[in-house]
Amino acid sequence: MARSKEFDIDHVLGKAMAIFWQQGYEKTSMQDLVTGMGIHKRSMYDTFGDKHTLFMKAMERYAEQVASRMEGRVADAPSAKAAIRLLLEATVYRQKEDPYGCLLVNTAVELSNHDPEAKDKVNFAFEGTERLLERLVRQGQASGEITSHLAAADLAAFLHNTFVGLRVLVKTLDKDSDKLQSIIDTTLAML
């Protein structure tokens, strides 16, 4: 007779995500995961597979949460430009809540050169963000608040680059929020 799980899979996956987010993939040991998740090693392997598979699942969960949060932020924005500002400013001000930066950006820096699956997961999530930005740019171009001299896809790529850059800078410029705000203001002025 098979035993039923004695833990909430979603809950322990959230714990694993937090551990990877704080420590990175390479620095996270199996013992860190077992201890932090509060489950037995055998249960972890039976439920999630190996460390890499668990990490991929944690990244998927993180990407889904971020995408949902971004969609929620822009849903009630009064304009496309205001929505873009909300996204950029949230990147800066979420640092207080997420002191480890962005798991996707951290993974891109740590693993993309030698882990094709991690690279693909990061790129998939980044493409989703870029599609959201392109949708907002198109709305702004249609209303006349964003220049139509450049293709919406090109502006979205530019904005995404700014977005990722802010996610990196926010980890090092935590005391210089004026500089981060200036980057946001300049980016929006260029639109």
Side-chain angles (χ1 to χ4, degrees):
M1 182 170 162
R3 280 181 73 182
S4 64
K5 299 267 183 248
E6 297 177 6
F7 55 88
D8 179 308
I9 292 173
D10 191 54
H11 180 71
V12 296
L13 181 58
K15 288 181 175 183
M17 182 183 77
I19 295 164
F20 284 127
W21 194 359
Q22 179 179 5
Q23 297 179 187
Y25 178 77
E26 296 292 342
K27 289 186 179 179
T28 299
S29 70
M30 290 303 286
Q31 189 57 52
D32 293 336
L33 291 166
V34 168
T35 302
M37 293 166 71
I39 62 174
H40 297 288
K41 188 180 269 190
R42 185 82 226 147
S43 293
M44 188 181 78
Y45 282 114
D46 289 346
T47 305
F48 299 106
D50 61 9
K51 175 183 160 181
H52 191 265
T53 303
L54 175 59
F55 183 65
M56 293 298 109
K57 290 178 183 183
M59 278 185 47
E60 286 171 9
R61 180 177 184 198
Y62 178 86
E64 289 167 3
Q65 288 176 348
V66 168
S68 175
R69 199 168 47 232
M70 288 191 314
E71 285 287 351
R73 275 202 180 87
V74 302
D76 296 326
S79 69
K81 225 172 184 179
I84 294 167
R85 177 177 290 282
L86 285 170
L87 291 174
L88 294 172
E89 287 180 346
T91 299
V92 171
Y93 298 110
R94 280 206 53 89
Q95 180 67 11
K96 293 175 182 135
E97 296 171 39
D98 302 332
Y100 306 113
C102 172
L103 180 60
L104 296 168
V105 172
N106 295 350
T107 300
V109 172
E110 181 185 8
L111 299 178
S112 286
N113 285 340
H114 61 277
D115 187 331
E117 189 176 358
K119 182 179 181 176
D120 288 346
K121 293 260 187 232
V122 168
N123 282 330
F124 183 78
F126 282 0
E127 287 165 7
T129 301
E130 213 165 297
R131 281 191 304 275
L132 171 62
L133 292 168
E134 185 174 350
R135 187 181 84 216
L136 293 171
V137 168
R138 286 186 191 286
Q139 289 171 1
Q141 288 176 328
S143 71
E145 69 177 314
I146 294 177
T147 183
S148 294
H149 294 329
L150 298 170
D154 293 341
L155 284 173
F158 166 76
L159 288 168
H160 186 253
N161 185 63
T162 301
F163 195 60
V164 171
L166 282 171
R167 287 176 167 177
V168 173
L169 285 176
V170 76
K171 292 174 77 169
T172 60
L173 296 176
D174 59 336
K175 304 275 191 255
D176 196 355
S177 61
D178 289 343
K179 184 172 187 175
L180 296 169
Q181 189 60 51
S182 176
I183 291 169
I184 293 169
D185 293 341
T186 302
T187 300
L188 290 167
M190 295 174 80
L191 296 178

